[in-house]
């Protein structure tokens, strides 16, 4: 796509392109085609494909790596125009949003040419191998072992919460390469082809039902030495950098999801009825809805401010922790309110007798409990804010 | 009555705890959900054998007079059993059969009807369901299901939702409208209906707590005047205290659920290591555990007071029941949320039990009115 | 008073006595006599006097020490009948509610005969010398020094939060008698005559205005050796016992105060108006009022349960911490609600333009902030519950 | 407009901070309360000299056009000054003179009226008060004060409460009812009234934040048609945006108040020892500090967005203003409560400054509508 310098002209180019390329089917409400909105559709794939061809999945990456070569301002205009056109959010991709930025900065030239374009073109699917059973919030206590034998690392151990590991092509993975070194210094960052012999994957069932999460087991898995990213023992530094991206991605959850069929006020009006003035009939629920909407607005506004600060070169500091903390708590509150408005309609698990929308509320209510745990628990985020932002003593 | 257990009650509690521990494992919730619970009819989602055993212990007859095979004890005693069942998330048709349908027959039925059904309940041979709710929210007189008078009696048509333990029930007690319109307290009439009767169609529902609930459609089902419980048009007078007693019982179950969830969380805090320390040493978690403790203590106190107020026929029984429902619902919700958060990632998995407590609590919270409903009712009853 | 064994007969005796002796003026609402309800009145003194003559200020103390010699059950009947007759609470007295029980158990025979009857007859007024500037929640870090020289302790140092020290006759006081011993073991418990030379007192002004609190300074104050309660170095043990009584007394704050002119629902109806059905017109405020009333009921019910458990010999354990914690938080919430209902009427400090009742709301709102601090902060109470009740690791 | 300060705004902020630090000490609040503040008229509760100095810096004229002696800047700039004043709890007649009375004249007055008063305000020579409120709660059209038409003009009678800075004001702007009844949006009329006019009686009030507020009684005060601001009966159209802008300004002051209170609390956590450790090492306090931080950040973002929305004449300005008032009020309340709790006993004493922040915040919270009012308005404006 033309990276026109004049912002107004650029905006027109972008918006025209979206107008011409965004599939008509996606402009309907999810589920309006009568199919399960959680299933991927051909027209969704086609849209991703069109975006990828223009490098728009990774707008700020260089064109040589499959990006669009946009400046930060141009990327912002793209995202504004997408929002204005009510383009649905693209599925979160660990390759695009997490690994990519770090790989761009720290990857070897070979690693970059091998992986980046495939990620930007949505041709290669990545999963994240960080957590282990038992490590929990204390991520650095990981014990998956990678021993350098000749030209290969031999990996043994077990990872958990490896999203989509069951259909991922590659995994970026934290491993312990030096058991003698201190907890943080013995860790390295490996890129592992999921087709390598010795890897097995089993999906995790959540309280909300089937999930994208998996457990991944490594049994004498041989990984070429070239697949080390950064230096030996530098894994923890890269991991922390990557976690910042993850927190930002999770913080945006509270902003409200374009895929949700009904807004919270709409749901409340539907479930509780409205009075003569068109207000949500139950005043207690109305107050709670107002509070949630108000808090969403505040979170969105803080995110804008934080973006404006970044553009102005005033780093807001560990804003990601705050957004993650607040965003996930708001999401939890929002879902508690939704489930309580649904009343007995909100207790459906599956099968007949409940609308798909009501059952989705139930599953999402359960799933949302995980938002304050994954990507660093909210307790960890509070610790980080207290330490890094407020400079409170340890 | 003092807010402590008498010696007899303590014995009952001990025996209930022992029976429950030996009979119900929390994992049965998953088995009921996944259809892997041993037995011929997995859709039943509870065990008739266990129901029978509890009847032998006298529990199904606790609130029924001795002349119908019951123990003639009170709600304080029933609460003890329900609390222990709550701890194990034991799925049993107590609320449906004893607290709703059975109590409706006891309070509203004629001698014939009582003799027909109460001994069967006390003996653990009969399971009954009360079909009342029609919308998503508890709103007891919002009834549109009609029972139209015919030459021979009545003809029932309409839809009932979330009918607890309706699948496999031996008899249905059905709330219908014989006059007036939805929302009127007058004009409601109760019928005993055979689930096998013509025009009755029962669809089993799959719900969050994996228990037995159903959708029932009545399509011109015939009912004779003998099937009417109490007076035509006066069902609300019978049902109001029935609902209140059932709520008091649900509160006891909620106390059991939250107590077990809380204690399991404490145990986790005392065993789980992070950053080289037991997570129970982290002050932020300690303080939140202390808050959960306070909420649970109040839920226990209010639940006990409400149960005893029923037994004492206190003038403030209804107020206490609604206040207790609001408190137990809120406390269970808090403890449910905090438990999963403190368990962390493992708490989110289906493999770990803790999430099952939150699921059952959610259903119990909203059954017969959630905390918003009961806070509002408390305000109304208090006159402000 | 006759300590009749039959509870029903005893109840009649008690209720008759109250009926005959409770002054008519006290049966009116506070302030109904047109005088400042915070000022003590002659008829209030007369009522205290009549109670004291019967030993009813200290109902469970032995008659020889000025008590009524009641059993716990009889004392409970007395308190029930007082509540039924809407008898106003007697002013909290450090001698009666705090020192008395400990003195009964640990005092020497001489100390008991010297002090108990005077306390029970309301003739001698005590204050508490625990906190020091800087000691805060860490009470045992106190540094007021008492050196045994001959037959006398010589006391030097400074106490804070000594309520009513400016008109107290005696103080019970924690002092450090052994600076070499460990923090908790070097403390002793002294009874100090406030008329002793070298004591000076200055009142403390709070955010809510003048208060009963004082600072008390000791400059070579000589206290006879006989005024030591318990053993030398046993002061901390006695102090902790006494603190339990204090927490219980403070926990009861949340139960609602008979002296408050309007109940919370009444105030809400007055300030927000009522609708056609007589309900508080603002539904949001009504919900909050309902929550406060509901929580008060829960707290009262838990206090009854705890009393029933104590009577049944089932100690509920550190219930005092819970009552203090919950009671003070509820009081804070209640006052926040009250001040917010008063709107601009709630910002009056003094002088014309505001009703006395509204200004009282404002001052009480400020004063109530201290409830979660005094008598051990709520943070300390949570620590105690976590440690003693929940047995969480340290 | 981006949610960051421009270079010019940053310079303004620096100079405001410097001036405030050198001019206003928090202890002045006590001096105003106790009548010990140096100066001839202690009842004024602010300093005319300081007002003059701020005028010389241009601050009193920030929002007024250059033709009236102002700077012709925007609310974003005014907010910067108010935030810094908030940090020092500086009592100055900004809200009354600039945001309420001055802005009313600017938006509603004729050229004569503007020329008479705005240059005086910009020059720091005039202090004005807007007398509108009559009941305890902000309810802008609940006005009963009458202005009855007479042969010569109007006669004003009625009582106004909580009139900010009315004591010692050079002129009053008075909201009256010329037709209709209390609650009607129509029929309201604004007058310029000399406080020395016959029938005006001003009683100074002593309020929580020790600032200047008064009760004003009008007893047949005469006013001519020239004293009317705008059209007779149409005052609401003038006042609605005036109130909104004043709220946006109060939000900025609240941000200053809560920021200073929060930072002082953090400082205390870093220096106060208990049990041999800095209390800032206690995790429970850390986590609560982190929560306070989040709330404050949102209050800052919303306040900035609302001020800029006014300057941009955005269609969502009103929504943002109300949302920001609800958030700043709630955040200030939280931080006020938590600050005192973390300071412990010393925080309860009048000697320690921290309590003064809570007192001023309380008044600002409820001025022009508290968080309940604005949450409700937000819901209304959002259409649900």
């Amino acid at each position: 796509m033309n990276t026109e310098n004049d912002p107004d002209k650029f905006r027109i180019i972008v918006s025209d392109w979206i107008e011409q390329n965004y599939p008509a089917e996606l402009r309907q409400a999810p589920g309006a085609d009568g199919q399960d909105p959680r299933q991927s559709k051909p027209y969704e794939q086609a849209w991703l494909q069109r975006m990828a061809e223009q490098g728009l999945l990774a707008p700020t990456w260089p064109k040589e790596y499959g990006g669009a070569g946009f400046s930060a301002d141009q990327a912002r205009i793209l995202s504004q125009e997408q929002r204005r056109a009510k383009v649905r959010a693209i599925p979160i991709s660990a390759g695009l949003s997490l690994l990519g930025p770090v790989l761009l900065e720290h990857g070897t030239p070979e690693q970059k040419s091998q992986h980046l374009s495939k990620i930007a073109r949505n041709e290669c699917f990545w999963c994240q191998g960080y957590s282990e059973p038992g490590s929990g919030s204390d991520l650095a206590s990981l014990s998956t072992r990678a021993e350098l034998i000749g030209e290969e690392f031999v990996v043994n151990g077990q990872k958990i919460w490896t999203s989509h590991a069951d259909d991922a092509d590659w995994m970026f993975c934290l491993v312990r390469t030096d058991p003698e070194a201190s907890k943080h210094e013995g860790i390295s960052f490996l890129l592992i082809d999921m087709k390598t012999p010795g890897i097995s994957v089993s999906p995790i069932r959540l309280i909300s039902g089937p999930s994208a999460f998996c457990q991944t087991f490594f049994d004498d898995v041989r990984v070429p030495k070239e697949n080390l990213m950064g230096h030996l023992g530098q894994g923890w530094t890269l991991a922390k950098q990557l976690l910042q991206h993850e927190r930002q991605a999770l913080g945006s959850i509270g902003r409200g999801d374009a895929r949700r069929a009904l807004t919270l006020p709409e749901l409340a009006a539907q479930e509780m009825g409205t009075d003569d003035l068109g207000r949500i009939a139950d005043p207690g629920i109305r107050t709670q809805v107002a509070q949630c909407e108000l808090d969403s607005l505040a979170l969105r506004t803080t995110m804008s401010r934080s973006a404006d600060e970044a553009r102005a070169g005033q780093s807001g500091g560990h804003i990601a922790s705050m957004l993650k903390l607040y965003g996930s708590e708001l999401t939890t509150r929002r879902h508690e309110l939704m489930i309580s408005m649904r009343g007995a309609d909100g207790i459906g698990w599956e099968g007949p007798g409940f609308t798909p929308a009501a059952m989705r509320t139930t599953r999402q209510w359960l799933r949302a409990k995980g938002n304050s745990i994954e990507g660093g628990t909210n307790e960890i985020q509070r610790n980080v804010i207290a330490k890094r932002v407020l400079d409170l003593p340890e | 009555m003092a807010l402590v257990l008498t010696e007899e009650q303590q014995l009952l509690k001990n025996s209930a705890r022992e029976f429950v521990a030996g009979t119900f494992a929390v994992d049965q919730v998953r088995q009921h959900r996944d259809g892997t619970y041993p037995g011929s009819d997995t859709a039943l989602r509870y065990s008739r054998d266990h129901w029978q055993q509890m009847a032998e212990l006298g529990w199904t007859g606790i609130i029924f007079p001795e002349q119908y095979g019951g123990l003639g004890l009170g709600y304080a005693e029933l609460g003890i059993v329900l609390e222990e069942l709550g701890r194990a998330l034991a799925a049993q048709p107590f609320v449906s059969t004893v607290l709703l349908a059975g109590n409706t027959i006891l309070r509203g039925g004629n001698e014939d009807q009582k003799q027909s059904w109460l001994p069967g309940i006390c003996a653990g041979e009969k399971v009954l369901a009360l079909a009342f709710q029609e919308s998503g929210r508890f709103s007891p007189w919002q009834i549109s299901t009609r029972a139209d008078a015919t030459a021979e009696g009545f003809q029932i048509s309409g839809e009932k939702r979330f009918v607890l333990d309706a699948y496999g029930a031996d008899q249905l007690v059905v709330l219908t409208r014989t006059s007036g319109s939805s929302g009127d307290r007058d004009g409601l009439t109760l019928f005993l209906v055979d689930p096998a009767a013509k025009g009755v169609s029962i669809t089993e529902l799959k719900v969050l707590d994996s228990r037995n609930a159903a959708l029932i459609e009545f399509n011109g089902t015939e009912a004779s005047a003998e099937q009417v419980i109490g007076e035509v048009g006066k069902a609300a007078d019978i049902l109001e205290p029935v609902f209140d007693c059932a709520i008091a019982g649900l509160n006891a179950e909620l106390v059991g659920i939250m107590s077990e969830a809380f204690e399991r969380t404490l145990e986790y805090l005392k065993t789980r290591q992070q950053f080289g320390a037991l997570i129970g040493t982290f002050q932020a978690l300690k303080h939140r555990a202390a808050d959960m403790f306070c909420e649970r203590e109040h839920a226990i106190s209010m639940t006990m007071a409400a149960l005893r107020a029923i037994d004492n026929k206190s003038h403030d029984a209804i107020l206490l029941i609604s206040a207790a429902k609001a408190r137990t619902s809120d406390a269970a919700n808090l403890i449910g949320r905090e438990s999963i958060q403190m368990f962390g990632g493992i708490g989110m998995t289906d493999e770990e039990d803790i999430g099952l407590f939150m699921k059952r609590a959610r259903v119990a919270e909203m059954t017969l009115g959630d905390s918003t409903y009961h806070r509002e009712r408390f305000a109304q009853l208090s006159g402000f």
Side-chain angles (χ1 to χ4, degrees), chain A, chain B:
Chain A
M1 187 174 288
N2 187 340
T3 54
E4 165 65 45
N5 271 330
D6 179 275
D8 293 334
K9 288 188 191 154
F10 180 77
R11 189 180 293 277
I12 292 166
I13 294 173
V14 163
S15 108
D16 283 353
W17 186 86
I18 293 173
E19 193 50 47
Q20 286 153 24
N21 288 277
Y22 193 55
E25 296 92 332
L26 284 171
R27 293 170 200 256
Q28 306 170 353
D33 57 3
Q35 295 174 44
D36 182 344
R38 283 168 303 174
Q39 295 300 319
S40 159
K41 312 292 178 330
Y43 50 80
E44 288 176 348
Q45 283 311 312
W47 167 238
L48 278 182
Q49 190 54 35
R50 282 176 215 166
M51 294 268 285
E53 278 161 16
Q54 299 292 326
L56 295 179
L57 297 179
T60 59
W61 295 10
K63 284 188 172 178
E64 57 168 315
Y65 295 134
F70 287 0
S71 69
D73 277 337
Q74 288 172 326
R76 189 167 184 236
I77 289 172
L78 170 66
S79 122
Q80 284 168 344
E81 289 307 306
Q82 286 177 326
R83 219 176 306 151
R84 221 171 45 81
K86 299 203 162 49
V87 168
R88 291 195 208 160
I90 55 166
I92 290 180
S93 145
L96 273 174
S97 56
L98 305 182
L99 178 65
V102 182
L103 191 54
L104 264 171
E105 192 176 343
H106 298 278
T108 62
E110 292 74 22
Q111 288 168 344
K112 289 202 243 184
S113 19
Q114 182 182 3
H115 297 299
L116 282 170
S117 301
K118 284 188 187 161
I119 292 173
R121 277 193 244 106
N122 205 33
E123 291 167 4
C124 177
F125 206 68
W126 285 77
C127 64
Q128 168 173 292
Y130 270 34
S131 296
E132 300 185 2
S135 72
S137 292
D138 187 4
L139 199 56
S141 71
L142 62 92
S143 58
T144 292
R145 184 85 178 83
E147 214 174 338
L148 188 58
I149 299 177
E151 294 300 293
E152 289 176 333
F153 288 102
V154 180
V155 182
N156 280 288
Q158 184 178 351
K159 292 284 171 183
I160 195 170
W161 309 122
T162 45
S163 308
H164 298 291
D166 46 354
D167 45 37
D169 304 300
W170 281 74
M171 172 187 279
F172 53 91
C173 186
L174 293 181
V175 292
R176 189 161 299 285
T177 41
D178 184 355
E180 307 297 312
S182 78
K183 187 160 99 173
H184 294 97
E185 282 163 17
I187 296 173
S188 298
F189 197 109
L190 281 189
L191 309 177
I192 303 179
D193 186 336
M194 290 295 281
K195 287 183 294 292
T196 322
I199 299 180
S200 59
V201 175
S202 80
I204 296 173
R205 194 181 166 89
L206 291 184
I207 56 173
S208 48
S211 81
F213 291 122
C214 298
Q215 288 206 65
T216 304
F217 304 88
F218 300 88
D219 184 16
D220 279 338
V221 175
R222 295 178 171 269
V223 179
K225 200 167 86 167
E226 295 77 36
N227 289 9
L228 173 72
M229 187 158 85
H231 303 296
L232 206 65
Q234 195 199 0
W236 185 245
T237 310
L238 300 187
K240 279 194 300 184
Q241 210 173 321
L242 200 146
L243 277 176
Q244 288 295 320
H245 297 289
E246 184 175 12
R247 276 166 203 174
Q248 228 134 18
L250 289 167
S252 65
I253 290 169
R255 285 189 303 168
D257 176 358
R259 295 189 70 140
R260 192 165 40 224
L262 290 177
T263 66
L264 189 59
E266 285 164 356
L267 178 64
Q270 172 192 300
E271 293 293 324
M272 319 305 293
T274 51
D275 68 10
D276 301 345
L277 300 169
R279 301 180 301 193
I280 297 162
D282 183 299
I285 295 287
R286 182 161 171 266
T287 302
Q288 290 178 64
V289 169
Q291 190 65 56
C292 276
E293 291 297 290
L294 225 156
D295 294 342
S296 284
L297 175 60
L299 185 63
R300 285 198 308 273
T301 309
T302 297
M303 291 176 82
S304 298
R305 175 161 72 98
S306 143
D308 289 346
E309 284 174 350
R311 253 190 305 283
Q314 307 163 7
S315 168
H318 291 250
I319 193 90
S321 284
M322 188 184 95
L323 297 177
K324 161 77 171 68
L325 170 62
Y326 198 85
S328 62
E329 301 228 314
L330 177 55
T331 305
T332 301
R333 236 185 319 135
R334 190 181 268 279
H335 282 98
E336 283 288 340
L337 184 54
M338 282 166 66
I339 190 99
S340 103
M341 291 191 307
R342 293 278 192 189
D345 289 318
I347 62 167
W349 183 247
E350 57 187 11
F354 300 95
T355 64
M359 282 189 286
R360 212 151 47 236
T361 299
T362 310
R363 301 283 184 139
Q364 285 173 346
W365 166 71
L366 289 163
R367 181 61 187 80
K369 300 285 173 227
N371 293 161
S372 45
I373 297 169
E374 56 209 318
T377 65
N378 282 4
E379 288 72 29
I380 293 290
Q381 310 303 342
R382 287 194 179 88
N383 287 345
V384 168
I385 293 170
K387 181 175 170 180
R388 302 280 163 80
V389 186
L390 308 181
D391 196 26
L392 286 169
E394 295 213 54
Chain B
M1 255 190 276
L3 297 174
V4 284
L5 299 189
T6 63
E7 225 167 294
E8 294 77 22
Q9 289 168 345
Q10 187 60 53
L11 289 173
L12 175 61
K13 188 184 183 80
N14 297 348
S15 89
R17 182 162 290 199
E18 196 180 332
F19 176 79
V20 167
T23 311
F24 300 103
V26 168
D27 186 51
Q28 290 174 12
V29 176
R30 290 189 197 85
Q31 297 170 2
H32 287 307
R33 178 190 66 198
D34 301 338
T36 58
Y37 187 79
S40 49
D41 187 357
T42 57
L44 199 59
R45 294 170 200 278
Y46 60 84
S47 150
R48 282 270 194 170
D49 289 349
H50 293 155
W51 185 240
Q52 184 75 53
Q53 288 164 28
M54 290 196 288
E56 280 157 24
L57 290 162
W59 299 351
T60 60
I62 283 178
I63 59 165
F64 296 112
E66 295 179 29
Q67 69 205 89
Y68 305 114
L71 296 182
L73 293 171
Y75 284 85
E77 285 78 15
L78 184 59
I80 290 168
V81 172
L82 290 171
E83 181 180 333
E84 294 305 320
L85 289 169
R87 279 185 172 266
L89 300 181
Q92 283 294 318
F94 252 108
V95 173
S96 55
T97 303
V98 174
L99 281 164
L100 291 172
N103 205 9
T104 299
I105 295 169
L106 176 67
R107 285 167 185 262
N110 57 35
E111 200 49 39
D112 251 19
Q113 292 166 336
K114 294 190 208 177
Q115 287 297 353
S116 302
W117 294 106
L118 300 185
I121 292 173
C122 294
E125 288 154 7
K126 301 293 178 193
V127 167
L128 280 74
L130 177 67
F132 60 99
Q133 195 162 348
E134 300 185 359
S135 68
R137 305 186 74 74
F138 180 59
S139 179
W141 321 137
Q142 295 280 353
I143 300 297
S144 304
T145 294
R146 312 272 327 164
D148 296 316
T150 61
E152 296 78 35
F154 298 85
Q155 222 176 24
I156 303 173
S157 291
E159 192 182 83
K160 296 287 178 184
R161 303 176 66 193
F162 320 112
V163 186
L164 302 180
D165 300 317
Y167 177 85
D170 299 292
Q171 190 77 342
L172 304 175
V173 176
V174 185
L175 180 60
T176 67
R177 184 161 292 289
T178 41
S179 63
S181 54
S182 183
D184 293 353
R185 195 180 180 282
D186 273 342
L188 297 171
T189 305
L190 287 158
F191 288 89
L192 280 159
V193 175
D194 186 334
K198 225 178 112 197
V200 179
S201 116
I202 298 180
T203 311
E204 54 149 331
L205 297 174
K206 290 182 175 165
V207 294
L208 198 55
D209 61 357
S210 310
R211 294 201 182 175
N212 181 328
L215 187 85
I216 310 185
E217 275 168 286
F218 296 95
N219 205 339
T221 304
E222 303 282 346
S224 70
E226 285 74 51
Q227 287 169 254
V228 174
I229 298 178
E231 269 181 72
V232 169
K234 297 290 177 203
D237 295 338
I238 302 170
L239 282 180
E240 212 159 45
V242 167
F243 287 143
D244 282 324
C245 292
I247 293 164
L250 273 171
N251 291 340
E253 189 190 338
L254 274 164
V255 164
I257 296 167
M258 77 176 85
S259 292
E260 183 70 20
F262 181 53
E263 286 161 25
R264 286 179 180 222
T265 303
L266 284 179
E267 193 50 36
Y268 192 75
L269 292 176
K270 292 173 192 176
T271 48
R272 165 77 168 164
Q273 294 250 0
Q274 289 272 272
F275 303 105
L278 293 172
I279 62 173
T281 62
F282 298 143
Q283 197 193 33
L285 298 187
K286 282 185 184 183
H287 281 201
R288 281 155 56 187
D291 287 336
M292 286 155 77
F293 171 75
C294 287
E295 292 300 325
R296 184 185 65 141
E297 286 302 302
H298 292 323
I300 292 173
S301 308
M302 291 301 297
T303 297
M304 289 181 88
L307 290 165
R308 279 154 184 73
I310 298 175
D311 292 337
N312 285 348
K313 301 185 179 28
S314 293
H315 65 97
D316 60 351
I318 307 177
L319 186 86
L320 285 166
I321 289 168
S322 264
K325 183 67 167 33
R327 296 283 323 190
T328 52
S329 297
D330 286 343
N333 188 282
L334 172 78
I335 290 175
R337 274 182 287 132
E338 285 283 53
S339 298
I340 291 197
Q341 182 69 24
M342 292 184 182
F343 269 78
I346 193 73
M348 281 298 294
T349 63
D350 185 56
E351 205 185 334
E352 164 57 49
D353 287 345
I354 197 73
L356 300 173
F357 290 88
M358 186 175 74
K359 289 179 181 177
R360 170 58 195 156
R362 175 68 221 152
V363 176
E365 278 166 55
M366 73 80 218
T367 302
L368 299 172
D370 62 10
S371 74
T372 304
Y373 177 94
H374 284 286
R375 193 159 37 242
E376 163 68 27
R377 189 170 180 237
F378 171 83
Q380 243 173 56
L381 292 168
S382 305
F384 59 80

